[in-house]
Amino acid sequence: VVTLNGQPAVQAVLLDITEAVRVQDALRRSEEKYRSLVENINEIIFTVDPSGLFTYVSPVIKQLLGYEPAEIIGKPFDCFVHSDDAPALLVAFERCDLDSNSPQELRVMAHDGNLHLMRISCSPSYDGDQFKGITGVMADITETKIANEIIRERQQMYETLLRTTTDAIATVDLEGNFTEASERTARLFGFQCQEDLVGKNAFSFVIPAHHRKALTSFKEALKSGYIRDKGFTFTRADGSHFLAQIDAALIHDAQGRPKSFILTIRDVTESKRAERQLRRSQQRFDHIVTLISEWVWEVDPSCVITYSNSAIADILGYQPDEILGTYIYDHFDSRYDPKKNQLLELVDSRSCFRDFKVAFLDKQRRPVDLILHGMPILDEDKNLLGYRGTARACVHQPEAQAEQTLRKMLTLDEAIILTDLTGRILFLNERAQQLAGFASDRAVDHKIDDVFRIFTTCGSPSQIELSDLRSQVENGKLRGKATLKQPSGDSVNIAFTSAIVYDASGYPSGILLIFAPTRQ
């Protein structure tokens, strides 16, 4: 209040503060933006004074590490840093003092005791020339580090797969152009290196006859996401052809959009050729076993029948499926039980056998004499997989006719012994029993060596070995004069002869020996 011209008045001063208000508003808005940024960014903002104590920590530390900002402010900057990483942080602090802000990675202990890998970047603060502390940013890179490690491991696995797999592996874009290929893929298509194949279109290698099939398969893979076991014929760079089997799977980008295909290519040229040859061989086998009149059989190592041709119906009256799964010796005539043991011994020894004579029972339970030939089936490690063989029926003369023939051929004073081809006695007459000193029931089914002991009469007496009976008969050795030693110790001078007996089909079926006492 003043007096102006003798009158009371008011004196005022007007100051233009428009700019100041604008600046203050701008500063306030800037601080609000800064505070909003600091408090909402997914990285921890912090400040440290020159003595290394925290003066500010953004609230996001609660979300990332579980600490309240108040728990950190006023504490030293390395308070929750792993002891092994604290020296590196000290060096980083010193570098900040030297105007260096290179990021550092270190482990930080969270409030729950778990370690987090953090990346810290620091920047020094100055007031003029005076160092006032540092401002820093901490980012949790634990999951990023783990993800990068997983990506690296998967990349290594992928590269190892490309190098070591026996299949060719490649990727093509949605136009069918090769974008990546293994060395094996390049060689399969006739190129020296992958770079020569990359950029070329896969469809250009498909023979024209398979173009439509390839395009259809490509569309199918694009629609369903994959294809399996698609066969195509391709042309190599040198013009030669090969047959390949393709598997393809669709690859999507980060937004889920189709990006490319990964292909697995197998060269099946040789395997398909082998399959055709095997199929032709199997057809030949099937035709042969269907046409022949002999029974073709297979058994496993336990003698269970696993295969039979249709000839079994003519021989024993069974259909093949009626005897599959049964033991072959269960069809033997029960009077020939020793034959089962002999068969099992042959199987255990993995021996080939021929002319194995045994009586079977047909479907009507009537005896039928069969002659079996068999050989072992072995895998590449010589493990026994079973036996494969054939069987045919024996052709017999009527018993009366056979007896009449023998009576005409032989005198009553001669000893008659009949063995199989292995030297096992099948029959001996009364005179043979007298000379041997064994009754028939004690001699039959025994080896001839165990019943008859024969010695030469010329030179130094030596026993004639009868173990390889068939060979000696064929070589003419079992013919002449000798001495027969009886179990009582007595000796009988004999003249003897032998011959191989053949059945009506012309197959050797046994050996006939004839002994006649003589006077020296």
Side-chain angles (χ1 to χ4, degrees), residues 62-89:
K62 173 68 175 178
Q63 176 184 342
L64 297 182
L65 299 177
Y67 295 102
E68 296 290 347
E71 295 181 78
I72 303 300
I73 294 175
K75 292 185 178 179
F77 69 96
D78 60 350
C79 62
F80 49 58
V81 176
H82 192 283
S83 58
D84 292 343
D85 297 344
L89 183 59

Side-chain angles (χ1 to χ4, degrees), residues 463-474:
Q463 186 171 359
I464 299 175
E465 296 293 338
L466 301 177
S467 56
D468 190 7
L469 194 60
R470 179 176 179 178
S471 174
Q472 297 199 53
V473 172
E474 291 175 341

